[in-house]
Amino acid sequence: MSRSEVAAVTKFSALTFEQKLDRLAEVAVKIGLGLRAGQELVMTAPIDALPLVRRITEHAYKAGAVLVTNFYSDDPAILARYQYGPDASFDFAPVWLQDGIAAAFKSGAARLAIAGANPALLSGQDPARVSRVNIAVSKASKQAMELITRHEINWTIVACATPEWAKLVFPNEPVDIAVEKLWEAIFVASRIAVDDPVAEWQQHGAKLKQRVDMLNAKRFSALHFKSADGLTDLTVGLADDHLWAGGGTTAGNGIYCQPNIPTEECFTTPHKDRVDGIVRASKPLSHQGSLIENISVRFEAGKIVEATASAGEDVLNRLISTDEGARRLGEVALVPHSSPIAQSGVLFWNTLFDENAASHIALGQAYSTCLIGGEKMDAAQLAALGANSSLIHVDWMIGSGSMDVHGVNPDGTSEPLMRRGEWV
Ligand code: ZN
Ligand code: ZN
């Protein structure tokens, strides 16, 4: 960190909490969404995020939004369904609402999601019921999700510290201190703890783009991951015509947006049939209310043939049994160990943050935008290039400060990309 950066951070800490929150809201609207005058905005948030939702709503109207529509989720209401709902409830999802959201996207609305719900909310519930609800929601929201994953619209995700989440991240602190600490960690990770966050994000985006351009020029056929402890020795074949992405993207509606705040990753589409070897997760995975620890998996010809975990193994097995594509990869991503999130040493129990702390892979659905011309292809064309399809997309961390990554060329030769977790 340079002298001027230190000064900038000090200055940031002199702001009131309300001012800091306002900065995050401004970055969410200007950088995350790139919201245009005349657009509608559809926002979803946990009810604890109300102060941030209101700030974002203000900035959205200042940017010229014609209508901001907010939907809230409430943890006790979610739990009431598990406690008192009839069994049929767990195969049910509001199709009418998801259809309406898809219709809003098609008529030009932008989408903002606030992350921050209690990651362990459903950990005590029947995993079969949790899984049924997720499948019902995935099916009902397929149309809306496709518009998002194909980047047809501008969208972003930002985070809000909530008490239950904060207690999980900082278990030894009283709840008010834990929330305060989590907010600070979110501000730093989201790159707004500087003098001029909008300029910071423009620079950060340009750096990510440089890395993406380098990787796209290489045309590797595979990546090889090997950890010093030998627990990971994995070859991830890349899809034919794969495209690397990272940082900002120009959506199908022509608007430039940063889909994740924070974001530190360069990612692409693996080949669904060309993944072989063993891989050990380097961080626990928080999945739909359960924590899965020490995941260890063996791939053969792209498919998981063995999966174990020291905790949450039943959740893992249920997850990879969701459908045919759930045992195969839909994403591979490179993140240097020096990323601010990795350096913070905080385990966030939230993919938005944890996936930006380490190189990772994702089970399930591939991003069609990570293939040349992919956004215009149908399912059969995408599959022919090796892109996976599934109802799920779940990222889990495999990178660490002891991970070496090589890029493998089509002729079988290879070159080092990352050594001990850092770009070569
Ligand atoms: Zn990722
Ligand atoms: Zn992902």
Side-chain angles (χ1 to χ4, degrees):
M1 193 176 273
S2 72
R3 265 210 141 80
S4 59
E5 279 173 307
V6 172
V9 171
T10 312
K11 233 166 135 184
F12 175 81
S13 67
L15 298 178
T16 66
F17 175 73
E18 273 65 35
Q19 288 168 321
K20 292 176 183 177
L21 203 63
D22 198 66
R23 278 195 173 188
L24 181 61
E26 185 181 1
V27 165
V29 170
K30 288 188 180 163
I31 297 289
L33 294 173
L35 196 74
R36 290 258 178 93
Q39 272 200 296
E40 262 192 76
L41 173 61
V42 177
M43 184 157 37
T44 54
I47 206 153
D48 288 316
L50 197 54
L52 179 61
V53 171
R54 288 178 177 157
R55 296 271 168 175
I56 292 174
T57 302
E58 281 174 23
H59 278 282
Y61 281 121
K62 283 183 194 166
V66 285
L67 182 65
V68 181
T69 305
N70 301 324
F71 296 97
Y72 299 95
S73 63
D74 175 29
D75 288 354
I78 293 169
L79 288 177
R81 179 186 194 175
Y82 284 87
Q83 198 174 353
Y84 304 112
D87 190 63
S89 168
F90 300 91
D91 296 312
F92 212 82
V95 176
W96 55 271
L97 176 62
Q98 295 298 342
D99 286 351
I101 289 175
F105 293 168
K106 281 181 185 160
S107 63
R111 160 93 168 104
L112 194 150
I114 296 181
N118 176 7
L121 180 67
L122 301 176
S123 56
Q125 304 303 325
D126 175 5
R129 285 185 154 185
V130 176
S131 167
R132 282 164 63 196
V133 168
N134 286 315
I135 289 171
V137 171
S138 293
K139 283 182 179 162
S141 60
K142 197 166 192 293
Q143 214 192 143
M145 281 309 295
E146 263 180 24
L147 293 167
I148 289 174
T149 57
R150 286 179 179 251
H151 289 291
E152 298 280 346
I153 62 159
N154 50 328
W155 60 274
T156 196
I157 310 176
V158 295
C160 172
T162 61
E164 299 304 321
W165 180 23
K167 274 196 286 189
L168 200 62
V169 179
F170 299 105
N172 300 322
E173 303 285 0
V175 65
D176 50 335
I177 302 292
V179 169
E180 215 172 277
K181 282 183 124 173
L182 182 55
W183 263 125
E184 284 305 313
I186 290 171
F187 292 145
V188 170
S190 304
R191 293 179 181 267
I192 68 149
V194 293
D195 256 356
D196 186 348
V198 172
E200 161 80 11
W201 267 94
Q202 281 158 350
Q203 276 171 26
H204 176 53
K207 262 189 210 159
L208 281 171
K209 188 177 181 308
Q210 222 173 32
R211 198 74 75 190
V212 162
D213 289 347
M214 178 276 287
L215 288 165
N216 276 329
K218 293 283 186 187
R219 304 314 310 159
F220 290 126
S221 58
L223 300 178
H224 181 225
F225 294 86
K226 199 168 179 8
S227 63
D229 58 13
L231 293 172
T232 293
D233 187 349
L234 183 74
T235 300
V236 178
L238 301 181
D240 303 333
D241 289 347
H242 68 272
L243 261 185
W244 286 88
T249 184
T250 302
N253 61 7
I255 299 173
Y256 189 76
C257 64
Q258 290 282 352
N260 285 356
I261 289 182
T263 187
E264 305 285 335
E265 58 171 345
C266 298
F267 60 102
T268 193
T269 298
H271 195 293
K272 64 184 173 64
D273 304 323
R274 298 181 194 155
V275 182
D276 288 278
I278 52 166
V279 56
R280 170 74 170 238
S282 56
K283 280 172 178 276
L285 168 64
S286 158
H287 178 67
Q288 293 164 348
S290 295
L291 304 173
I292 313 175
E293 294 180 59
N294 295 307
I295 299 174
S296 187
V297 158
R298 192 160 62 83
F299 283 92
E300 267 178 30
K303 192 172 171 179
I304 291 180
V305 291
E306 231 178 274
T308 59
S310 64
E313 192 175 290
D314 53 336
V315 182
L316 176 66
N317 278 314
R318 230 170 259 283
L319 175 70
I320 61 177
S321 305
T322 306
D323 54 24
E324 168 60 26
R327 285 177 180 272
R328 298 174 186 271
L329 293 189
E331 178 191 338
V332 59
L334 297 176
V335 178
H337 191 60
S338 57
S339 97
I341 300 165
Q343 290 306 304
S344 75
V346 175
L347 178 68
F348 284 86
W349 303 103
N350 181 306
T351 303
L352 176 62
F353 291 85
D354 293 328
E355 80 161 338
N356 286 304
S359 293
H360 56 272
I361 50 182
L363 295 170
Q365 182 67 32
Y367 287 103
S368 55
T369 47
C370 285
L371 292 162
I372 297 168
E375 62 280 353
K376 292 190 175 67
M377 292 180 189
D378 62 25
Q381 289 170 306
L382 292 168
L385 291 175
N388 194 31
S389 91
S390 171
L391 284 174
I392 67 159
H393 177 99
V394 177
D395 298 86
W396 48 286
M397 288 13 103
I398 64 168
S400 70
S402 80
M403 180 72 81
D404 289 344
V405 185
H406 280 76
V408 183
N409 296 305
D411 66 3
T413 59
S414 69
E415 57 185 282
L417 271 181
M418 287 182 142
R419 198 169 283 135
R420 292 185 180 277
E422 292 308 324
W423 288 105
V424 171

